[in-house]
Amino acid sequence: MSEFVASLNDALVVRSGFPLLSGVTLEVAPATLTLLTGPNGAGKTTLLQLLGGLVGLSGGSGQVCGVDLARDDRRALRRRVGWLGHDSSFYDDLSVRENLTFAAKALGRPLEDLAPALERVGLRDRSEVLARRLSAGQRRRLGLAWLLMRRPELWLLDEPYAALDEDGRRFLDGLFADVVAAGASIVVSAHDHLGATLGAVNTVHLVGGRVESRS
Amino acid sequence: MSEFVASLNDALVVRSGFPLLSGVTLEVAPATLTLLTGPNGAGKTTLLQLLGGLVGLSGGSGQVCGVDLARDDRRALRRRVGWLGHDSSFYDDLSVRENLTFAAKALGRPLEDLAPALERVGLRDRSEVLARRLSAGQRRRLGLAWLLMRRPELWLLDEPYAALDEDGRRFLDGLFADVVAAGASIVVSAHDHLGATLGAVNTVHLVGGRVESRS
Amino acid sequence: MTKTLLARLLGPLTLALLALTFGLGLWVTPPDQVQGNLVRLVYVHPALAWVALYVSFGTATIASVLYLWRRTRSATLDRIGACAMEVSVVFIALTLITGSLWGRPTWGVWWAWDARLTSTAILGVFALAYLALRRALDDDETRARRSAVFAIIAAINVPIIHFSVLWWKTLHQGATVFTANRTLLIHGSQAWTLLVSFVAFTLSFVWLLRARYRLEVTRDQSRQRDFNEALAQRRREGARP
Amino acid sequence: MIRVALLVAAKDLRVELRSRVLLWQVVPFGAMALLLSGLALGPARAGHSGAAPGLFFLVMLFVTLLTVARSRAIDARAGTRDSIATLGLDPGGVFLGKTVALTVELWVTGALLLAGTVVVLHANLAGTLAASGNVAVTLAALAAAGVLHGALSGPGDGSATLLPLLSLPAFAPLLIAGERAYSAALGHGALWAWGTISLVALVAYLALGILLYGVLDES
Amino acid sequence: MIRVALLVAAKDLRVELRSRVLLWQVVPFGAMALLLSGLALGPARAGHSGAAPGLFFLVMLFVTLLTVARSRAIDARAGTRDSIATLGLDPGGVFLGKTVALTVELWVTGALLLAGTVVVLHANLAGTLAASGNVAVTLAALAAAGVLHGALSGPGDGSATLLPLLSLPAFAPLLIAGERAYSAALGHGALWAWGTISLVALVAYLALGILLYGVLDES
Ligand code: HEM
Ligand SMILES: Nc1ncnc2c1ncn2[C@@H]1O[C@H](COP(=O)(O)OP(=O)(O)OP(=O)(O)O)[C@@H](O)[C@H]1O
Ligand SMILES: Nc1ncnc2c1ncn2[C@@H]1O[C@H](COP(=O)(O)OP(=O)(O)OP(=O)(O)O)[C@@H](O)[C@H]1O
Ligand SMILES: [Mg+2]
Ligand SMILES: [Mg+2]
């Protein structure tokens, strides 16, 4: 067992003949925040999907949360990560509350967690609105509430700051600090700079499907 | 005829009984850049849609590009604005080039404009990729190329900076400066600050579906 | 003044004429040589069909056309169209029921694959579909437009129903009451009763439509109150305590 | 697994109730299709009830395909799929849940259409009642097969939308068995001989689904 | 308008070709449905060709509904709709273009299914050939009606997905006329009497569509 939450070694992801990731080597230590940067189309989203078990490994090796990406069932991994996709969406025909209730039940969490989560992401007065009617930022906030219902070891967020207002960004910064302090790890992709309140950040710069530099 | 490109007077937009805009008064002068700010769910997207003729006016009055929103056909307006939505998307099963060819033909533009547009947004080496395979930022760039094919009097952009990398943002700043210099008007919503290269910016701050302050 | 008087008289007048129709139909007119007492359905069924097809469906269609015409567009017309269509569902259903009742003894079956019967049933489905469409859409303007277009498309069926007896060989009665050259085929008390029945059912349509429309107006008023409240609340949003 | 199944079934049915597609769209569609089939066959043929079981199941097949497409659409959007995937729900449970929801919808539609068959196509009432147990089983099997093949069709957005239709051959045995059993019931024939086929098919599809749904839904 | 129509038709057909749904999914579906309908009606009844025209048009109706749903899905996503809307295409042209594309697809499927009808349901070849002109017109009218009703169903995402099915009644006259004409051709009856109905319906739907498509697609 490695001491890393996630580690990839020359990982390759290929889809319909095109290499989305062309050999990525990466380690994510516990209780750290890793920032993925890079130009559009560099493979940030794909890398996050790989770490979350949402796409399969086509070459190289890797393990995440103790799951061997090349050998084990990806499904086991998915349950252990918290995921906020670039265009996370939910059941459009269910209300905010119903969506969260579904998530809570699926995860076996008590329904009492629900009201505080809604309050924290600022959706309390939209709790009965159907998800399809939410504004872009409110959808993102619903995604955050969905994340708050879980306590994953690894948080994967794809451009979480996009569409959020000042207030939401501040909340996210605070959340990240809390999560890292609690010992979990975060991998996040972003084009903006992260908030200054955050402590040490490992930056991984992707270009053309591989790691170009890190700091 | 007013001297404004767009002017709204106590504009109301209602959908399924909920007032998305609760009375907006606004003027957009020619050759200016107007920045819409405001918390999530304030009505920025809705306001842009109203200006682009994508939603109807439910109360109050307004005219955009000489089209009376309350009385005339909204279709006439749509043809005259350039639109980049928050999640602009195109024909997923057509390639980048085919999408742009379609737009060019629909707008009656010469196909020679196409290669330079692709070049400018940096999608030249993705021109044969299907739109559904593009990364988030590349989709946004496709939307920009689509916009470059037209020469609208009024540009409406909903959080155009989201998902774009440094390079893309710089391109956008340059584009805005060009457009304003050429005498067209821009209304753009954003949570980030706009680039410093831009000259005078009218900021309109929306809260709860109405204008709270402007500067 | 006259308007309110008429409005107040509408209900009683309708009821009186309906009563008159049934009185004349059941007791005054003679039974038929071939059909016996069954013939008395002739004072109900054709009049119901007339109201269903032409009066109520026609009202809905005309209201829809006027709504789509930009110059006469108004929420009132949309409302009238919707209400008329609802009433028309009732009349189409009654036409089908009385027709079936009549068909059982005369043709031996409740239902047959006859062109007029089928096309009438299809019109009924159209009317239900119209109501379904209205329920499926929650934006006022979209709903009004879509349902208006739908009503117009549905109206194509009306001439088909009318001419179906000529185009297809059918079980159903041809034009019995009026022939093509507008001469009345039946006479005497029968003709009078028939005429009264047409007037009575047409009036009952007007009465129902009016009641339904007023209900809709009341609903709209309460919706307006709700909306004002929502508007005030929306404006207060963000003004954080 | 059962817990997940109930959760998923409740969610699907709630979405269904909310959009009222079943009530306002699927059922009228079925009724219309029945009417039209009657017409398309011509008045003479549709009149006698021999064709009724066949038409009933044919229409139910289309209803199944449409409902499956909707049931897929509920979780279809790329963003939604990812969000749900990371909940790590037990795939067997998801399959069962979707099947239960679909079965309920098919039963509701089926009951109304059976009534329509009796009234419009003159199928005899006693026979129809006798067949109804068997019809219920067949519809459940159709639902299981439908969900399984819905998963085969992939995400359900874009290019592969119609793929489930290719798996029509898998429905064929069900349709034939259902039709024969219903016909037998109308003519007082050997209802149960055909009925067992539906039952066996139901069990087989359920077992297959619980085992394989995870594999299909993986990508 | 014609320019827009050609542009839209070319785009729709290209997307269709790319995804190859027609070839791999719609046509096999049609063939399967024809076979199954034959089976569902029982061998005795399906064997003689009397039922062939009815079954053919019934299956084509379902094919139309499926293809319309796909044709809607091409422009369905909220983001796509807005992008396209601001191109300000002439709605009459869009309607015509979509109708042309759909007609081509229906003709291809129809030709293959007609062959299937001759082979499987023993419809006589000469009669089928005689009817084919009329079938083509009827299918074009079906396409026009289909596009119109697709627009009625709204964006095509979410709750209103199945709504076009409700407009089935609008297809009924077409189906009946088509079926009768085909039957007449098989039996050397008065083909043209029925044929005119299809033709009139085609013209009527085209006119309606060109006039009203804009109103429907507005929002
Ligand atoms: C379910 C069964 C039936 C339905 C749906 C039905 C429907 C209709 C409709 C829609 C009309 C109005 C046609 C028009 O004015 O253009 C009509 C008229 C009429 N029906 Fe029926 N009908 C049914 C059964 C019967 C039966 C069994 C009889 C009598 C044997 C009958 C006798 C008549 C007569 C006499 C008229 C007036 C014809 C005229 O003057 O044009 N109907 N029916
Ligand atoms: N079939 C294909 N042919 C060519 N390129 C492809 C193909 N499929 C995917 N790609 C490319 O793979 C890359 C996917 O990258 P990914 O979505 O991970 O980028 P990203 O770093 O998240 O970018 P962004 O910042 O824009 O979100 C894109 O550059 C895309 O164009
Ligand atoms: N039926 C409804 N009931 C309650 N609220 C509704 C309803 N429909 C829409 N809304 C609200 O209307 C607002 C829509 O605002 P809009 O999308 O224009 O916001 P925005 O300013 O673009 O926000 P963002 O910055 O998040 O993109 C949201 O607050 C949304 O919750
Ligand atoms: Mg990305
Ligand atoms: Mg927005």
PDB file of all heavy atoms in Angstrom, chain A residues 134-138 163, chain B residues 39-46 48 86 158-159 189 191, ligand 5:
ATOM      1  N   LEU A 134     -33.280  26.344 -11.864  1.00  0.00           N
ATOM      2  CA  LEU A 134     -32.231  27.062 -11.143  1.00  0.00           C
ATOM      3  C   LEU A 134     -31.336  27.836 -12.102  1.00  0.00           C
ATOM      4  O   LEU A 134     -31.177  27.464 -13.260  1.00  0.00           O
ATOM      5  CB  LEU A 134     -31.382  26.064 -10.355  1.00  0.00           C
ATOM      6  CG  LEU A 134     -32.085  25.342  -9.215  1.00  0.00           C
ATOM      7  CD1 LEU A 134     -31.131  24.376  -8.549  1.00  0.00           C
ATOM      8  CD2 LEU A 134     -32.642  26.322  -8.205  1.00  0.00           C
ATOM      9  N   SER A 135     -30.734  28.884 -11.595  1.00  0.00           N
ATOM     10  CA  SER A 135     -29.738  29.607 -12.396  1.00  0.00           C
ATOM     11  C   SER A 135     -28.433  28.814 -12.378  1.00  0.00           C
ATOM     12  O   SER A 135     -28.260  27.886 -11.583  1.00  0.00           O
ATOM     13  CB  SER A 135     -29.529  31.002 -11.842  1.00  0.00           C
ATOM     14  OG  SER A 135     -28.643  30.959 -10.747  1.00  0.00           O
ATOM     15  N   ALA A 136     -27.508  29.210 -13.256  1.00  0.00           N
ATOM     16  CA  ALA A 136     -26.256  28.456 -13.372  1.00  0.00           C
ATOM     17  C   ALA A 136     -25.539  28.343 -12.025  1.00  0.00           C
ATOM     18  O   ALA A 136     -25.090  27.263 -11.632  1.00  0.00           O
ATOM     19  CB  ALA A 136     -25.357  29.142 -14.388  1.00  0.00           C
ATOM     20  N   GLY A 137     -25.457  29.453 -11.320  1.00  0.00           N
ATOM     21  CA  GLY A 137     -24.764  29.430 -10.047  1.00  0.00           C
ATOM     22  C   GLY A 137     -25.501  28.610  -8.999  1.00  0.00           C
ATOM     23  O   GLY A 137     -24.889  27.940  -8.169  1.00  0.00           O
ATOM     24  N   GLN A 138     -26.821  28.654  -9.062  1.00  0.00           N
ATOM     25  CA  GLN A 138     -27.597  27.878  -8.099  1.00  0.00           C
ATOM     26  C   GLN A 138     -27.431  26.381  -8.334  1.00  0.00           C
ATOM     27  O   GLN A 138     -27.395  25.594  -7.394  1.00  0.00           O
ATOM     28  CB  GLN A 138     -29.069  28.280  -8.169  1.00  0.00           C
ATOM     29  CG  GLN A 138     -29.313  29.645  -7.527  1.00  0.00           C
ATOM     30  CD  GLN A 138     -30.660  30.231  -7.881  1.00  0.00           C
ATOM     31  OE1 GLN A 138     -31.325  29.780  -8.820  1.00  0.00           O
ATOM     32  NE2 GLN A 138     -31.076  31.258  -7.167  1.00  0.00           N
ATOM     33  N   ALA A 163     -19.176  30.268 -12.506  1.00  0.00           N
ATOM     34  CA  ALA A 163     -20.596  30.526 -12.268  1.00  0.00           C
ATOM     35  C   ALA A 163     -20.920  30.912 -10.827  1.00  0.00           C
ATOM     36  O   ALA A 163     -22.033  31.331 -10.535  1.00  0.00           O
ATOM     37  CB  ALA A 163     -21.471  29.341 -12.677  1.00  0.00           C
TER      38      ALA A 163
ATOM     39  N   PRO B  39     -25.385  38.733  -7.484  1.00  0.00           N
ATOM     40  CA  PRO B  39     -25.270  37.386  -6.913  1.00  0.00           C
ATOM     41  C   PRO B  39     -25.966  36.340  -7.790  1.00  0.00           C
ATOM     42  O   PRO B  39     -26.715  36.680  -8.693  1.00  0.00           O
ATOM     43  CB  PRO B  39     -25.983  37.522  -5.562  1.00  0.00           C
ATOM     44  CG  PRO B  39     -26.869  38.698  -5.710  1.00  0.00           C
ATOM     45  CD  PRO B  39     -26.183  39.621  -6.653  1.00  0.00           C
ATOM     46  N   ASN B  40     -25.696  35.082  -7.522  1.00  0.00           N
ATOM     47  CA  ASN B  40     -26.330  34.000  -8.258  1.00  0.00           C
ATOM     48  C   ASN B  40     -27.843  34.081  -8.152  1.00  0.00           C
ATOM     49  O   ASN B  40     -28.382  34.270  -7.074  1.00  0.00           O
ATOM     50  CB  ASN B  40     -25.898  32.630  -7.703  1.00  0.00           C
ATOM     51  CG  ASN B  40     -24.435  32.338  -7.996  1.00  0.00           C
ATOM     52  OD1 ASN B  40     -23.729  31.792  -7.177  1.00  0.00           O
ATOM     53  ND2 ASN B  40     -23.985  32.722  -9.175  1.00  0.00           N
ATOM     54  N   GLY B  41     -28.480  33.949  -9.289  1.00  0.00           N
ATOM     55  CA  GLY B  41     -29.935  33.974  -9.298  1.00  0.00           C
ATOM     56  C   GLY B  41     -30.522  35.366  -9.327  1.00  0.00           C
ATOM     57  O   GLY B  41     -31.724  35.547  -9.156  1.00  0.00           O
ATOM     58  N   ALA B  42     -29.681  36.377  -9.574  1.00  0.00           N
ATOM     59  CA  ALA B  42     -30.180  37.754  -9.548  1.00  0.00           C
ATOM     60  C   ALA B  42     -30.991  38.075 -10.808  1.00  0.00           C
ATOM     61  O   ALA B  42     -31.809  38.989 -10.800  1.00  0.00           O
ATOM     62  CB  ALA B  42     -29.018  38.712  -9.435  1.00  0.00           C
ATOM     63  N   GLY B  43     -30.741  37.356 -11.900  1.00  0.00           N
ATOM     64  CA  GLY B  43     -31.486  37.610 -13.125  1.00  0.00           C
ATOM     65  C   GLY B  43     -30.620  38.087 -14.270  1.00  0.00           C
ATOM     66  O   GLY B  43     -31.142  38.603 -15.268  1.00  0.00           O
ATOM     67  N   LYS B  44     -29.322  37.910 -14.178  1.00  0.00           N
ATOM     68  CA  LYS B  44     -28.418  38.362 -15.240  1.00  0.00           C
ATOM     69  C   LYS B  44     -28.703  37.616 -16.545  1.00  0.00           C
ATOM     70  O   LYS B  44     -28.853  38.229 -17.607  1.00  0.00           O
ATOM     71  CB  LYS B  44     -26.966  38.132 -14.827  1.00  0.00           C
ATOM     72  CG  LYS B  44     -26.572  38.863 -13.553  1.00  0.00           C
ATOM     73  CD  LYS B  44     -25.144  38.607 -13.172  1.00  0.00           C
ATOM     74  CE  LYS B  44     -24.848  37.183 -12.729  1.00  0.00           C
ATOM     75  NZ  LYS B  44     -25.572  36.759 -11.528  1.00  0.00           N
ATOM     76  N   THR B  45     -28.759  36.303 -16.445  1.00  0.00           N
ATOM     77  CA  THR B  45     -29.012  35.507 -17.644  1.00  0.00           C
ATOM     78  C   THR B  45     -30.344  35.883 -18.274  1.00  0.00           C
ATOM     79  O   THR B  45     -30.464  36.060 -19.487  1.00  0.00           O
ATOM     80  CB  THR B  45     -28.999  34.008 -17.282  1.00  0.00           C
ATOM     81  OG1 THR B  45     -27.715  33.684 -16.754  1.00  0.00           O
ATOM     82  CG2 THR B  45     -29.283  33.154 -18.495  1.00  0.00           C
ATOM     83  N   THR B  46     -31.345  36.052 -17.419  1.00  0.00           N
ATOM     84  CA  THR B  46     -32.663  36.402 -17.924  1.00  0.00           C
ATOM     85  C   THR B  46     -32.651  37.746 -18.638  1.00  0.00           C
ATOM     86  O   THR B  46     -33.254  37.907 -19.703  1.00  0.00           O
ATOM     87  CB  THR B  46     -33.670  36.446 -16.759  1.00  0.00           C
ATOM     88  OG1 THR B  46     -33.493  35.277 -15.975  1.00  0.00           O
ATOM     89  CG2 THR B  46     -35.079  36.519 -17.267  1.00  0.00           C
ATOM     90  N   LEU B  48     -30.153  39.161 -20.179  1.00  0.00           N
ATOM     91  CA  LEU B  48     -29.504  38.997 -21.479  1.00  0.00           C
ATOM     92  C   LEU B  48     -30.454  38.331 -22.476  1.00  0.00           C
ATOM     93  O   LEU B  48     -30.519  38.704 -23.644  1.00  0.00           O
ATOM     94  CB  LEU B  48     -28.226  38.164 -21.327  1.00  0.00           C
ATOM     95  CG  LEU B  48     -27.052  38.897 -20.673  1.00  0.00           C
ATOM     96  CD1 LEU B  48     -25.947  37.931 -20.302  1.00  0.00           C
ATOM     97  CD2 LEU B  48     -26.525  39.967 -21.620  1.00  0.00           C
ATOM     98  N   HIS B  86     -24.523  30.980 -21.592  1.00  0.00           N
ATOM     99  CA  HIS B  86     -23.735  30.400 -20.525  1.00  0.00           C
ATOM    100  C   HIS B  86     -23.272  28.997 -20.878  1.00  0.00           C
ATOM    101  O   HIS B  86     -22.144  28.610 -20.633  1.00  0.00           O
ATOM    102  CB  HIS B  86     -24.568  30.364 -19.256  1.00  0.00           C
ATOM    103  CG  HIS B  86     -23.853  29.748 -18.126  1.00  0.00           C
ATOM    104  ND1 HIS B  86     -23.917  28.414 -17.866  1.00  0.00           N
ATOM    105  CD2 HIS B  86     -22.993  30.278 -17.235  1.00  0.00           C
ATOM    106  CE1 HIS B  86     -23.140  28.158 -16.833  1.00  0.00           C
ATOM    107  NE2 HIS B  86     -22.575  29.256 -16.439  1.00  0.00           N
ATOM    108  N   ASP B 158     -22.919  35.796 -21.906  1.00  0.00           N
ATOM    109  CA  ASP B 158     -23.256  35.372 -20.547  1.00  0.00           C
ATOM    110  C   ASP B 158     -22.053  34.641 -19.949  1.00  0.00           C
ATOM    111  O   ASP B 158     -21.750  33.513 -20.334  1.00  0.00           O
ATOM    112  CB  ASP B 158     -24.481  34.458 -20.596  1.00  0.00           C
ATOM    113  CG  ASP B 158     -25.116  34.295 -19.233  1.00  0.00           C
ATOM    114  OD1 ASP B 158     -24.667  34.981 -18.295  1.00  0.00           O
ATOM    115  OD2 ASP B 158     -26.064  33.492 -19.117  1.00  0.00           O
ATOM    116  N   GLU B 159     -21.382  35.278 -19.019  1.00  0.00           N
ATOM    117  CA  GLU B 159     -20.190  34.703 -18.380  1.00  0.00           C
ATOM    118  C   GLU B 159     -19.232  34.092 -19.392  1.00  0.00           C
ATOM    119  O   GLU B 159     -18.885  32.919 -19.317  1.00  0.00           O
ATOM    120  CB  GLU B 159     -20.608  33.642 -17.363  1.00  0.00           C
ATOM    121  CG  GLU B 159     -21.567  34.232 -16.346  1.00  0.00           C
ATOM    122  CD  GLU B 159     -21.836  33.295 -15.182  1.00  0.00           C
ATOM    123  OE1 GLU B 159     -20.923  32.546 -14.824  1.00  0.00           O
ATOM    124  OE2 GLU B 159     -22.947  33.352 -14.652  1.00  0.00           O
ATOM    125  N   SER B 189     -22.221  39.524 -18.838  1.00  0.00           N
ATOM    126  CA  SER B 189     -22.350  39.241 -17.413  1.00  0.00           C
ATOM    127  C   SER B 189     -21.090  38.534 -16.962  1.00  0.00           C
ATOM    128  O   SER B 189     -20.503  37.767 -17.719  1.00  0.00           O
ATOM    129  CB  SER B 189     -23.558  38.344 -17.151  1.00  0.00           C
ATOM    130  OG  SER B 189     -23.233  37.006 -17.403  1.00  0.00           O
ATOM    131  N   HIS B 191     -18.712  37.255 -13.212  1.00  0.00           N
ATOM    132  CA  HIS B 191     -18.453  37.296 -11.772  1.00  0.00           C
ATOM    133  C   HIS B 191     -17.036  37.764 -11.507  1.00  0.00           C
ATOM    134  O   HIS B 191     -16.743  38.320 -10.466  1.00  0.00           O
ATOM    135  CB  HIS B 191     -18.675  35.916 -11.166  1.00  0.00           C
ATOM    136  CG  HIS B 191     -20.108  35.516 -11.164  1.00  0.00           C
ATOM    137  ND1 HIS B 191     -21.055  36.186 -10.439  1.00  0.00           N
ATOM    138  CD2 HIS B 191     -20.764  34.532 -11.801  1.00  0.00           C
ATOM    139  CE1 HIS B 191     -22.231  35.630 -10.628  1.00  0.00           C
ATOM    140  NE2 HIS B 191     -22.081  34.621 -11.453  1.00  0.00           N
TER     141      HIS B 191
HETATM  142 MG    MG F   5     -26.672  33.039 -15.278  1.00  0.00          MG
END
